[in-house]
Amino acid sequence: MKVSIIFVSLIIVLGLMSQPAPAVIGDRVGTFPAPRNNPTGLAFDGANFYLSDRKTDSIYCLETKTGMLVSGFPAPGLRVSGLTFDGAYLWAADAEEKVIIKFDPHNFVSLLTIYCPAEEPGGLAFDGVYLWLGDIRRGKLLQISPEDGTTIKELPAPSGSPTGLAFDGVYLWVADRNSDYIYMVWPQSGEVILMFKAPGKYAVGLACAGDLLYCADYQSDSIYALKADDNEFFRLSEPVVEKIEYTHQYRNYGPGMVTSLDIFLALPEQSPRQKIIQQPEFGSAPQRIAADQWGQQTAHWHFDSVAAGEVVSASYETKAELYDQWFIFRPERVGRLKDIPGEIKKTYLADCSKYAIHSPVIADAVKQAVGAEHNPYWIMRKILRYIIDHLEYELAGGWNIAPTVLEMGKGSCSEYSFVFISMCRAAGLPARYVGSIAQRGDLAGEDEVFHRWCEVYLPNIGWVPVDPSAADQKSPHGQASFIGHVANRYLITTIGGGDSQYLGWEYNSYEKYESEGVCKIYSEKLGEWAPMMIEDTAGAESPRIPESCKPR
């Protein structure tokens, strides 16, 4: 049984007064209860909300700020799954009769019934000209004519179950009850621009009201007010504390003599998502620590000789608190290419051997991908879309340069990165790569494969991660999961542009040697993870989360 609306409204007001200011898009700023226990569709008419309820077959008019019940009336359909407002009238998707009904909420008169092209209708929205309808069974977003239900456009839903839709004047918002995410979608292509966890476990209705997004949840019987825009650009969550040991071991099986060996280890550094609790402790002292041309700190070991049968190694152990980091911002928040600082342009638009940015293959690919686009965010997205369409992942020995990878149509994570960086730089967008030691599914484990992805510099935002190979997925959700997102299972060791005087094109570590006679060499690179208890880090400072994302 619902508690009284007046009492609940008082609780809401007091709760809002005590809540801290929201940090990023998707943060909850208020909550009020649904008037009944089975809410579904949600619409906003500029003054009040309209909420459909499956069990009572009714629609309730609610006061916007408090959720106080204004009125209620019978729904025009038998099972309303979605509601929207077109500026004058309400529209309801009826999942029972598979129709869409236009009706007047003031005199409860149905004005028009049109064909519903969805096999299982979900959310409903109006974009000023057309209706948008979620098809839960087929996992589609349908743009349809309000005259007769003719399908104008069909796009893949971000995930499989589009139960809630809303339109904010530019973007389509989609709630998915299976993934428990809310997505901001570009309605021209269906690409997910940003995504965040839904406030409840069964999001069913969405409505836009000013700078807030409202979400009705079927499981909690609540309506949540969420921030739909903000000046903060990323969120940190899900911290884990790990001890990581990295070892580069070198074996000379002979029969000849290695007369000179140098091993270089990239050293992890502090960042908003990566707090180094314990600075690297070395197994044996390196000869020196120096930064390469990208500013990457690197430890250097030199061995005068390695005899046949001898094994030498370089290693360090560190402790880190790692966060899941999501960049969440609207593309219109991004500045212009000319706003990028000159030093960043000079450094990260330069050509390198693996990029070959002046190659006709790269020039043609950029022309096809970018066209006349000027927004740096959309330049990045269009280049990524082109790579997804033209490459497939293949882990094979060796690395090819970017034009060759494009011509072959396949490559490893490093080769995807080379192509992405090459195309971004050729388009005038600064880009670089990061290298990491990866946690492979368990808090305790080892990594021998490692992983590399990219970062692009977006003015007003900073360096934003993009993982081209991991983003090569069919679903918009899968693609967006690797744009502006770094999971808490990576220790970033390397940030650079390639061809480092210490690391070459490698990341994590690198070796070079000279020998006399025939030498069979075996090198092993190993990252080992061990979870730490919270008390193991007692006395360490808590990580400071900056007010906004600052460029490195």
Side-chain angles (χ1 to χ4, degrees), residues 380-399:
M380 175 269 290
R381 288 301 301 260
K382 290 183 175 183
I383 288 173
L384 182 62
R385 187 191 312 164
Y386 183 91
I387 289 173
I388 290 173
D389 290 343
H390 289 80
L391 292 183
E392 62 181 48
Y393 183 81
E394 180 184 73
L395 182 60
W399 294 328

Side-chain angles (χ1 to χ4, degrees), residues 136 159-163 175-181 197 201-203:
I136 296 173
S159 196
S161 187
T163 46
D176 190 283
R177 60 156 293 199
N178 286 338
S179 68
D180 291 332
Y181 271 87
K197 274 288 187 181
K201 291 295 185 181
Y202 199 143

Side-chain angles (χ1 to χ4, degrees), residues 271-290:
S271 72
R273 66 159 296 275
Q274 177 169 294
K275 180 189 176 187
I276 306 300
I277 299 170
Q278 172 193 296
Q279 291 299 322
E281 295 182 353
F282 303 110
S284 60
Q287 271 69 39
R288 64 170 182 158
I289 295 176

Side-chain angles (χ1 to χ4, degrees), residues 17 56 69 218 234 240 264 303 359 365 375 377 418 446 500 546 551:
M17 290 174 62
T56 62
L69 181 63
Y218 190 86
F234 70 78
V240 296
F264 304 88
F303 301 90
S359 161
N375 183 297
Y377 173 85
F418 297 159
E446 59 185 39
S500 163

Side-chain angles (χ1 to χ4, degrees), residues 330-351:
R330 289 170 172 259
E332 54 267 30
R333 291 285 190 178
V334 177
R336 301 163 295 180
L337 288 175
K338 68 178 184 179
D339 299 327
I340 299 172
E343 187 61 32
I344 289 178
K345 286 184 178 180
K346 178 182 177 181
T347 304
Y348 293 104
L349 291 181
D351 197 9

